[in-house]
Amino acid sequence: MNDLSKGAAHWQGRVVPIAEAALPVTDWGVTHSDIAYDVVPVWKGGFFRLDDYVARFMASAAALRFDIGRDADGVKSALTEMVARSGLRDSYVAMVAARGRNPVPGSRDPRDCDNHFYAWCAPYVHIVKPEAALTGTSVWVAKRIRRIPEDSVDPTVKNYHWGDFTGGLFEAKDNGFETVLLLDHDGNVTEGPGFNVFAVFGDRVVTSGHGVLHGISRRTVLEMAEEAGLVPETRPLPLAEFLEADEVFLSSSGGGVIPVAQVDERHFSNGAAGPIALDFRRRYFDWIERPAHRTEITY
């Protein structure tokens, strides 16, 4: 029997060990990074906000003109079967639409490609180690790299265009920081690799309204802010203003709410996780277990 405990894939209509799933070298998903995807967390045996994640995935696939041959219910069915077969109760679950191979020799017409769907799951991923999140992580603001303009690559469509993020991560790691935050070409804060960013000013919780993925975790934070009696704001956030915040934190499907203790040379909360960020981190893991937000998996 195949061991799926280290991860599984829904590949060509079958559930297989994750190591057995691979794209052909001529798939435009490889040669052009021509892919739409999304990631939904599984926590303690249930999907969190599955309908919201799948709806965004289907919208991304439609925006990039993929025909994956299945509707939202078909995607949810594939994800559920795959995770149930894997036995993973805490999991990082990806759904993917790829452009596929072009069967017409020499064609550069994307309409000729054979689009396809696949999915994979692995043990739950924290983009920042939990112990580092509790004390507050460190973020480098990229100096050489700027976020790809939103009129070039639409950031609200989750995609594999990570050239800017990867370049920024090299900058961050070379300077001894955990992760990186990118600015747009006007000097406003946007996002980082796998996360949205928030700044707290008194009773206001502010995040960028442009140049970013409208993350489901981001949406969850905005809703939690209202529940906590705070005022959520989505708007342009200049770097100079951002650095004057009382607190800063990240949101991600890979770890929920992640407090930030340092951005460049600026230390927040005396170099520790701030109280609002820690409260939101606790709230996130409460929300992820609320029945209203969960789709339980039968293993």
Side-chain angles (χ1 to χ4, degrees), residues 273-292:
I276 291 177
L278 285 172
D279 177 61
F280 274 40
R281 182 171 176 82
R282 287 189 292 268
R283 285 178 186 270
Y284 177 86
F285 285 105
D286 170 63
W287 275 52
I288 206 171
E289 293 190 48
R290 291 184 182 182

Side-chain angles (χ1 to χ4, degrees), residues 247-259:
E247 297 182 39
V248 168
F249 61 86
L250 317 177
S251 68
S252 173
S253 298
V257 173
I258 301 160

Side-chain angles (χ1 to χ4, degrees), residues 8-11 13-15 47 50 54 57 68 70-86 93-96 117-121:
H10 199 284
W11 179 250
R14 298 185 301 118
V15 177
F47 289 104
L50 177 63
V54 172
F57 170 66
I68 59 172
R70 62 179 65 217
D71 59 12
D73 286 340
V75 171
K76 286 185 277 189
S77 176
L79 299 182
T80 301
E81 178 192 9
M82 175 182 67
V83 177
R85 292 272 302 277
S86 76
V93 183
M95 60 202 93
V96 186
F117 166 83
Y118 64 94
W120 55 274
C121 64

Side-chain angles (χ1 to χ4, degrees), residues 41 43-44 46-50 52-53 216-229 256-257 279-296:
W43 190 254
K44 296 184 179 179
F47 289 104
F48 179 56
R49 303 191 78 154
L50 177 63
D52 293 330
Y53 279 100
I216 305 302
S217 298
R218 173 181 179 270
R219 183 192 306 178
T220 299
V221 168
L222 294 172
E223 292 171 356
M224 291 193 305
E226 292 183 338
E227 180 183 79
V257 173
D279 177 61
F280 274 40
R281 182 171 176 82
R282 287 189 292 268
R283 285 178 186 270
Y284 177 86
F285 285 105
D286 170 63
W287 275 52
I288 206 171
E289 293 190 48
R290 291 184 182 182
H293 300 314
R294 289 175 62 83
T295 302
E296 301 295 340

